[in-house]
Structure formats: C-alpha cells, structure tokens
C-alpha cells in the first residue's frame, strides 16, 4: 500500500533535505508514534541513522525500532555535530531546545511523509492509525511553522454519556455527574456557523463520551453528506457498541466517512463484530491500538508566570483543533470538558460563545489566533497542560473506575 498525502502543495516550497547524503550522524528526536513511522520511511529509502533521542526518562537506554534511545545530554556527549530530524508534533519547542544545545542542522520530518510505501511495515501502530498520526503531525508542524491560525480539525462533543468510565479519560467522563446528549439541531447549526467563518476544515470528528449512544447520530451524519467544505468525517468510538442500521446506512459508501475505533482490549469486546458490520456496509475504519495514554491534565492552581502560561497555552493548542460542546467553542479538550462541568472558575477568555451573532466571524478568527498572540485562557492558570506539555507522563490505557470523581474547589481568587 502506498499512502500519498492529499495536500502536498502546503509543503511544496519547504526544504526537502537529502538525508541519504548528509555527512554527519543522523539522530531522530522523538521515539514515539511519529518516530516509528519515520524509522520505516528511512529504512525504505535505505537511510541509516545513529539513534533516537527522547525527553522521556523511562525510555532512556531502551531500544526502539532497533535503535538505542538516548537522553538529550547523551546526544550532546555522543553526537555533538549530529543532524537531527524532529519526529514529534512538538516541532517548535524541540527546535528551540536543540538550538540552545548548539545544534544547527535541524530538520522537520514532513518530507518523509508526503508519500509512504507501507510494504514490509512492522511498527506496532496499525497503518491507518499511523496515517492519522502522520496527518495530525503534518498539520501541527505546518501550524507551528507558519502560525497561520488555521483550524485543522473540529471535534463535536455530542454527548457526555459513555459506556466506559476510564479513570484517566482526557475528557474527564468519570467527573460528569449528570451525563446528557446535546441537541442535534444545535450541534449542526453551531458547526455550520463555524464552517461559514472558516470556509474549510480538514476533519470533523463526532465524539463524546461515546457518540454511538446519541440517538440522533444518523441524522447528524446524513446532514453532513451535503457539506462539501469538509475533507473527512469520523466517528470516534470505544469498541463497545455495534452501530445501528440507521447509522450504518447513513455512512455507507461515502468516501469521506470513517469510524475510528479505540481498542481497549478486554474493555472493547465488540471490535470484531463492529468491523465485520463496517466491512459489510463498505465503511472505512481505523483501529487505534494504544499501548499507553498520556496523563490527563492535572486541575489545580499552578502559580505559573505569564510567560509560562503563554508558552504552555501555545504548546497545548499546537494541533490547531477546535472543540465544540454545549454551544461553546474551545481550543483544547481539557478546557472544553472541564469548563463545561464548571470545574474551572468562570472566565469569558476560556471559550467562544457560539450563540453570539454580532461579528461572529471576526470574533472566531481572533479567538483561534490567540495562541499566536500569547493570549492564554484563564483556565490555564488552573491546569497543568495537556499531553502536548506533559509528554513525559504515561498511564495505562482505559483503567476503569466506578467512583464519581471530583475536581478540587477553585474560586478564581487564587490567580
Ligand atoms: S471510552 Fe473512556 S476515554 Fe473514551 S470517552 Fe469514554 S470514558 Fe473517556
Ligand atoms: S493549560 Fe490546560 S486549559 Fe490551558 S490550553 Fe493547556 S490543556 Fe487547555
């Protein structure tokens, strides 16, 4: 299978380094999901590299894709004049870190991913999951390098009901005291309003909770069939529920639709039956086979300085994504989930009101360009940052809890 990125024109004028003929040792920074695909691409081109470098302490000294993972200090000691390819979505912060350490030949990994020959592919992440990670990485690097304020994906949080209760859920589902489905007409109207302003969005994702628990999912999918300003539409599901016939028919034989199944092993027992159904209806799907989760954001007063808040906010939002829930729009998943539950002290800086009719387009553009302008949200004062910031902390996947979890009480007077 040969994968071709659909928008190579975004990267047409970027450097395409000749990695095969570098006269320096080559090191890959980032031994994770992107690093694994980069390793495959380099192998396919017969390009050797010396090692992986990674900031996560628990990886140091271990082997990844047949290469040793070394620490940043070890990188400086062993390969002071290396050329480094950043194989991670955190391009800008890593670039700055490498420059401070004296590295001058620093490359992004985008040129490796314009076309990927997946024959002989052996990395643990499935091809489809890897393609999604690669596309997300390309969008993140594009945004970080161009600071365009472009939104790459919209997540429609259509329900806070879920069939699982994962303790470390990045959407804090076990903290929801009264789970509910949001009104389909409102969701569609809000989405339409946002797309009218943005003109184009690469991906729209239905998620929750578990979106298959929403009784009007089929209706929402059907109405997006006419919407041509979206490249791809996906449903993110946890492998516990077989989609009903109405949902299957709504998605059937439409190239742009895809089901993204999270495989949580014993907690996702229906995956074989679900995939059989999807195949029967000609619906594309992807299985995300996680080996770990990034730790969810920690909620509590941080005491971070303005500079720290600005940097954290920019990193957290580097994947240029918009989250819509309950008639409001947010720039990060933690903000959307915790604000929606009232877990952060109220502040209008945390969201854009989707019911606002006055100069909405202008307000939306100002809102999504806030990371570029250093205008963090007040919520960031009470949040450790999402996985983009806390990339050292991993937790086991989908550990279940029966408890109703609670946020610490925050008054807003702390910050
Ligand atoms: S399946 Fe788990 S991680 Fe996903 S939304 Fe439900 S509780 Fe959260
Ligand atoms: S610090 Fe928390 S609230 Fe602020 S952008 Fe990051 S994840 Fe969102």
């Amino acid at each position: 299978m040969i994968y071709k990125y659909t928008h190579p024109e975004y990267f047409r004028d970027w450097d395409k380094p000749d990695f095969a003929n570098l006269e320096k040792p080559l090191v890959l920074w980032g031994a994770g999901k992107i690093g694994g695909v980069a390793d495959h691409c380099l192998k396919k081109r017969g390009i050797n590299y010396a090692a992986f470098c990674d900031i996560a302490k628990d990886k140091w000294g271990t082997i990844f894709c047949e290469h040793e993972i070394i620490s940043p200090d070890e990188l400086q000691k062993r390969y002071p004049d290396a050329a480094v390819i950043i194989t991670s979505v955190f391009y800008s912060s890593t670039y700055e870190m490498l420059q401070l350490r004296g590295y001058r030949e620093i490359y992004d990994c985008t040129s490796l991913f314009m076309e990927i020959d997946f024959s002989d592919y052996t990395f643990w992440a499935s091809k489809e999951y890897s393609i999604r990670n690669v596309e997300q990485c390309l969008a993140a690097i594009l945004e970080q390098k161009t600071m365009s304020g472009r939104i790459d994906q919209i997540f429609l949080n259509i329900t806070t009901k879920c069939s699982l209760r994962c303790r470390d859920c990045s959407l804090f589902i076990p903290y929801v005291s009264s789970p509910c489905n949001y009104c389909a007409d409102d969701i569609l109207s809000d989405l339409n309003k946002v797309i009218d302003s943005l003109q184009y969005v690469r991906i729209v994702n239905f998620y929750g909770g578990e979106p298959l628990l929403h009784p009007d999912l089929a209706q929402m999918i059907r109405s997006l069939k006419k919407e041509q300003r979206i490249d791809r539409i996906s449903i993110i599901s946890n492998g516990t529920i077989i989609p009903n016939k109405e949902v299957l028919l709504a998605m059937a034989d439409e190239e742009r639709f895809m089901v993204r199944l999270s495989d949580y092993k014993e907690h996702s027992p229906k995956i074989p039956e679900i995939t059989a159904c999807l195949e029967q209806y000609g619906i594309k799907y992807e299985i995300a086979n996680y080996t770990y989760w990034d730790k969810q954001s920690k909620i509590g007063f941080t005491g971070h300085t303005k500079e720290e808040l600005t940097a954290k906010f920019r990193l957290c939002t580097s994947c240029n994504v918009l989250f819509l829930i309950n008639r409001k729009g947010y720039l990060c998943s933690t903000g959307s989930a915790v604000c929606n539950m009232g877990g952060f002290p109220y502040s209008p800086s945390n969201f854009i009101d989707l019911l606002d009719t006055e100069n909405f387009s202008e307000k939306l553009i100002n809102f999504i360009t806030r990371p570029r302008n250093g205008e963090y949200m007040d919520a960031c004062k009470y949040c450790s940052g999402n996985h983009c910031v806390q990339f050292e902390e991993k937790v086991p996947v989908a550990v279940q809890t029966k408890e109703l979890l609670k946020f610490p009480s925050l008054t807003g007077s702390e910050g």
Side-chain angles (χ1 to χ4, degrees), residues 161-174 207-211 236-238 240 262 264 293 398-400:
K161 295 186 177 184
C162 193
S163 47
L164 294 177
R165 292 181 62 79
C166 305
R167 183 193 62 194
D168 302 295
C169 172
S170 61
L171 295 156
F172 299 86
I173 291 298
Y207 84 132
E210 171 48 61
I236 302 174
S237 178
N238 61 20
T240 61
S262 302
Y264 300 146
W293 273 352
V399 174
Q400 297 298 294

Side-chain angles (χ1 to χ4, degrees), residues 131-395:
I131 289 169
R132 176 158 61 84
N133 286 317
V134 160
E135 290 184 345
Q136 218 157 295
C137 177
L138 290 171
I141 296 172
L142 183 68
E143 178 56 24
Q144 288 166 52
K145 282 183 115 176
T146 62
M147 296 287 258
S148 65
R150 184 202 317 253
I151 287 294
D152 180 57
Q153 299 191 45
I154 292 178
F155 282 78
L156 296 177
N157 189 323
I158 64 172
T159 181
T160 50
K161 295 186 177 184
C162 193
S163 47
L164 294 177
R165 292 181 62 79
C166 305
R167 183 193 62 194
D168 302 295
C169 172
S170 61
L171 295 156
F172 299 86
I173 291 298
Y175 294 72
V176 181
S177 54
S178 310
C180 66
N181 295 316
Y182 293 105
C183 166
D185 289 340
D186 291 347
I187 292 166
L188 291 171
S189 150
D190 292 344
L191 177 65
N192 195 40
K193 187 170 173 181
V194 169
I195 299 184
D196 279 349
S197 300
L198 300 177
Q199 289 304 314
Y200 164 78
V201 178
R202 191 171 65 86
I203 307 181
V204 168
N205 302 285
F206 286 97
Y207 84 132
E210 171 48 61
L212 289 170
L213 291 173
H214 197 298
D216 300 325
L217 180 60
Q219 175 208 330
M220 290 188 265
I221 295 170
R222 277 197 300 271
S223 57
L224 287 195
K225 281 191 159 179
K226 294 172 235 129
E227 177 54 81
Q228 291 306 315
R229 295 171 295 179
I230 307 169
D231 268 359
R232 198 180 309 157
I233 297 150
S234 68
I235 294 176
I236 302 174
S237 178
N238 61 20
T240 61
I241 298 173
I242 300 171
N244 64 37
K245 197 167 173 191
E246 207 191 346
V247 168
L248 291 166
L249 284 171
M251 297 189 89
D253 297 323
E254 159 72 76
E255 261 299 296
R256 294 181 303 152
F257 286 116
M258 134 156 323
V259 176
R260 277 172 48 185
L261 292 166
S262 302
D263 184 356
Y264 300 146
K265 306 296 174 219
E266 72 273 20
H267 303 302
S268 306
K270 301 246 168 81
I271 287 201
E273 285 167 85
I274 297 169
T275 53
C277 263
L278 297 175
E279 282 168 22
Q280 190 191 339
Y281 282 81
I283 300 166
K284 284 193 289 190
Y285 63 88
E286 164 213 297
I287 299 179
N289 49 342
Y290 299 96
T291 53
Y292 60 82
W293 273 352
D294 299 299
K295 199 169 165 58
Q296 66 187 179
S297 312
K298 203 159 134 205
I299 309 304
F301 182 58
T302 61
H304 286 158
T305 62
K306 280 190 176 166
E307 290 70 30
E308 286 168 332
L309 290 166
T310 305
K312 182 171 64 170
F313 181 49
R314 190 174 287 158
L315 255 187
C316 283
T317 53
S318 64
C319 291
N320 41 332
V321 173
L322 195 61
F323 299 84
L324 308 190
I325 179 169
N326 201 10
R327 321 254 33 201
K328 293 189 173 67
Y330 299 87
L331 291 169
C332 69
S333 61
T334 304
S336 71
V338 181
C339 287
N340 191 44
M341 282 182 255
F344 288 131
Y346 176 83
S347 163
S349 73
N350 293 342
F351 62 88
I352 179 158
D353 183 354
L354 300 174
L355 291 169
D356 192 347
T357 46
E358 203 179 317
N359 298 330
F360 179 77
S361 290
E362 198 185 317
K363 284 179 183 160
L364 179 65
I365 301 302
N366 286 340
F367 183 66
I368 63 183
T369 48
R370 284 177 48 168
R372 182 171 73 187
N373 301 328
E375 298 164 28
Y376 54 82
M377 311 183 290
D378 282 341
C380 303
K381 296 176 187 167
Y382 305 94
C383 172
S384 61
N386 65 12
H387 63 276
C388 299
V389 177
Q390 310 207 95
F391 41 93
E392 282 185 70
E393 295 202 53
K394 312 288 180 210
V395 291

Side-chain angles (χ1 to χ4, degrees), residues 25-29 75 82-86 98 103 105-108:
L26 186 61
V27 173
L28 272 53
W29 183 293
L75 171 69
V84 183
I85 310 179
I86 299 174
L98 283 163
Y103 289 92
E105 272 197 63
I106 309 167
Y107 302 104
D108 64 65

